[in-house]
Amino acid sequence: MPTSSAVSQVFPYGITGKTPPSLTKVNFKGQKPYHKHRINLRLFQGCPQVEVSDGGRLWATWFGSNIQAERAPFHQDQFSVISTSADGGKTWKEVFIFDPSDLLGGGASDPLLWKDAKGNVRFVALRNIDFKGKDDFATSAWEFTMLDPEDEHTAWSEPRLLGNKNMSVMKPLIFPDGTIMRSMDDFKLVGKPDQVRIRFLKEDADGEPMFVSQLPVDNDAGFAEQMPIIRKDGSLFTFYRAKNGQKFAESFDGGRTWKLGGYYPMQFSVNTKCILKTLPSGRVLLVANDVQLRHDGGKRVYLYTDENGRERELKTNRTVRTRMTAYLSDDDGKTFPHKLLLCDDGQISYPSATLGNDDAIYIVYDQGRGVIGQHTIFLSKVTEKDILNGKLISGESFLNNVVSRPSDDGGGRREGDKI
């Protein structure tokens, strides 16, 4: 028997923040239907991501729990789901789970799917373990690569440790030479003034680090969730989440140094996530919450601009997290004159988008993460023409197909549940 002082007998029992994680295959032929991750036990889920293989298979991921709502910093009792669709998003099947709970009660948060320059679909898992302050990798980001993204139960590469920061909320920026820039945020420093938190990691095409850069300190920043684009002149532009809307920053040396620009003139996604993506046409896609917030005598007033350009007050769903909208810019993000409302049914947040081979733009977002009858992951499929016209005109386009809604399968939060 080992001695009482051996590493296997003393917390953390030989486990470190660099102990590799694994994925669990679910819903395969022959599996017992009563596994612990089944959807009819789930009462909370949100923060989805979407990707599409070169062959057209859709993949989505999000995190959820059978026990509780989101609880930072360690997210115990939370796992990430990987789901797939072979019919363009009409039907979905959950096929893998990332659940680190077997390692000292670890929890998952903020998963990511993205596709690299070679067409490889990658999954980034964020693991959180309470090491009682004894390990700098209590939060660690790990990347798995699908070996066959056309197979619903693809094999995976071994996980690669990316770092000990949150690196899984926003898709990396892919440069023309195949190098990438990952967005990072040190969540341990959220709410601590005058601390550098918002950073970028530049990697070469083989994944070797090239440099780390950072935005100057901005105490208005929340969970920054920055997602840069490359403008036509080669400079970089990004929004980042702040208290009263979205602020922006620019880089004129490939992301090595950054200059803050202040609040963007148009208010949207107030202290919540939005995404930017350059389309093959050269236009810039923005997916964001089209809600403006004003304070009138201590009262919060929620506003939006209707299709006729008139300012309207929200009478229902009074929150900044509604009216998920796709915008287009013709001028590298200076203005966004074109828009298409995707969903205004309740609390809607955390978009993710990817591009199909048929000019399709696939967009996912969540609805009411812990709300009875909701905690829904929605998928919309649109085109540039739809957004330019402000309505669906493409025959294959659709809005708000359900990717996952536990209450449809006998699950979900019920009256009296305390989460």
Side-chain angles (χ1 to χ4, degrees), residues 29 57 82 118-119 122 126 131 173 175 206 216 226 233-234 243 248 294 306 308-309 329 334 336 339 372 386:
K29 186 176 181 180
R57 176 177 283 275
I82 301 174
K118 297 178 181 178
R122 306 192 194 188
L126 197 67
F131 285 108
L173 173 63
F175 289 80
D206 297 320
Q226 69 277 20
D233 64 0
K243 294 176 182 177
F248 70 95
R294 292 182 189 165
D306 69 14
N308 298 313
S329 172
K334 292 179 183 177
F336 289 90
K339 67 179 182 179
I372 294 172
D386 295 329

Side-chain angles (χ1 to χ4, degrees), residues 180-198:
I180 70 167
M181 179 171 284
R182 299 181 189 268
S183 296
M184 302 192 296
D185 195 345
D186 194 338
F187 284 3
K188 294 189 297 294
L189 300 177
V190 170
K192 297 183 179 180
D194 304 320
Q195 298 286 322
V196 173
R197 267 194 19 240
I198 307 169

Side-chain angles (χ1 to χ4, degrees), residues 117-349:
K118 297 178 181 178
N120 297 310
V121 179
R122 306 192 194 188
F123 171 71
V124 181
L126 197 67
R127 183 180 71 191
N128 309 276
I129 300 177
D130 186 1
F131 285 108
K132 313 301 181 187
K134 298 178 181 179
D135 194 317
D136 289 336
F137 281 75
T139 290
S140 55
W142 298 81
E143 188 166 69
F144 300 78
T145 301
M146 295 183 186
L147 301 185
D148 183 4
E150 311 306 333
D151 180 356
E152 68 177 28
H153 280 118
T154 175
W156 297 83
S157 70
E158 293 183 0
R160 181 168 76 97
L161 178 61
L162 298 178
N164 64 349
K165 302 291 186 287
N166 191 307
M167 304 169 70
S168 58
V169 179
M170 311 303 270
K171 293 177 187 278
L173 173 63
I174 303 175
F175 289 80
D177 61 0
T179 59
I180 70 167
M181 179 171 284
R182 299 181 189 268
S183 296
M184 302 192 296
D185 195 345
D186 194 338
F187 284 3
K188 294 189 297 294
L189 300 177
V190 170
K192 297 183 179 180
D194 304 320
Q195 298 286 322
V196 173
R197 267 194 19 240
I198 307 169
R199 297 185 174 91
F200 298 92
L201 169 63
K202 183 74 182 290
E203 293 180 352
D204 68 18
D206 297 320
E208 291 298 316
M210 298 171 66
F211 64 80
V212 172
S213 63
Q214 61 195 37
L215 265 61
V217 171
D218 184 348
N219 290 327
D220 269 358
F223 299 100
E225 297 167 346
Q226 69 277 20
M227 188 174 180
I229 58 168
I230 305 172
R231 296 189 288 205
K232 292 182 178 68
D233 64 0
S235 63
L236 306 185
F237 174 89
T238 186
F239 290 122
Y240 63 96
R241 172 178 167 179
K243 294 176 182 177
N244 298 311
Q246 293 288 323
K247 287 188 167 182
F248 70 95
E250 301 168 293
S251 175
F252 299 93
D253 56 5
R256 291 182 180 272
T257 61
W258 292 85
K259 179 182 178 182
L260 301 184
Y263 278 102
Y264 190 75
M266 181 176 78
Q267 192 185 50
F268 57 90
S269 288
V270 180
N271 203 10
T272 189
K273 177 185 174 182
C274 70
I275 57 170
L276 280 174
K277 190 172 186 65
T278 303
L279 302 179
S281 67
R283 292 190 179 95
V284 176
L285 171 71
L286 165 68
V287 185
N289 293 102
D290 180 21
V291 179
Q292 293 76 55
L293 176 63
R294 292 182 189 165
H295 297 273
D296 184 5
K299 176 186 175 184
R300 293 164 67 94
V301 181
Y302 301 91
L303 306 159
Y304 70 98
T305 304
D306 69 14
E307 61 275 11
N308 298 313
R310 293 198 209 108
E311 192 175 78
R312 304 277 190 182
E313 183 175 351
L314 282 175
K315 298 299 184 181
T316 59
N317 304 324
R318 295 181 66 257
T319 171
V320 294
R321 293 190 176 192
T322 191
R323 294 185 57 81
M324 188 60 68
T325 301
Y327 300 82
L328 285 177
S329 172
D330 303 307
D331 53 14
D332 262 352
K334 292 179 183 177
T335 61
F336 289 90
H338 316 289
K339 67 179 182 179
L340 170 67
L341 178 64
L342 303 175
C343 186
D344 64 351
D345 182 14
Q347 184 165 309
I348 311 293
S349 65

Side-chain angles (χ1 to χ4, degrees), residues 100-122:
S101 62
D102 287 341
L103 290 180
L104 302 181
S109 59
D110 295 324
L112 173 67
L113 284 167
W114 70 284
K115 187 164 64 175
D116 65 23
K118 297 178 181 178
N120 297 310
V121 179
R122 306 192 194 188

Side-chain angles (χ1 to χ4, degrees), residues 7-78:
V7 69
S8 63
Q9 304 300 302
V10 178
F11 182 89
Y13 314 109
I15 296 169
T16 76
K18 296 180 180 180
T19 300
S22 61
L23 299 175
T24 301
K25 179 179 172 183
V26 295
N27 295 333
F28 54 89
K29 186 176 181 180
Q31 184 186 26
K32 293 181 179 180
Y34 302 112
H35 60 90
K36 66 179 181 178
H37 298 108
R38 61 192 187 273
I39 192 171
N40 59 354
L41 297 178
R42 200 169 308 153
L43 50 69
F44 164 84
Q45 61 180 20
C47 299
Q49 300 273 357
V50 67
E51 195 50 80
V52 62
S53 71
D54 286 346
R57 176 177 283 275
L58 284 167
W59 294 89
T61 187
W62 58 90
F63 71 87
S65 177
N66 299 345
I67 296 174
Q68 63 185 37
E70 181 178 1
R71 289 182 189 165
F74 299 109
H75 301 274
Q76 279 119 334
D77 297 311
Q78 291 177 198

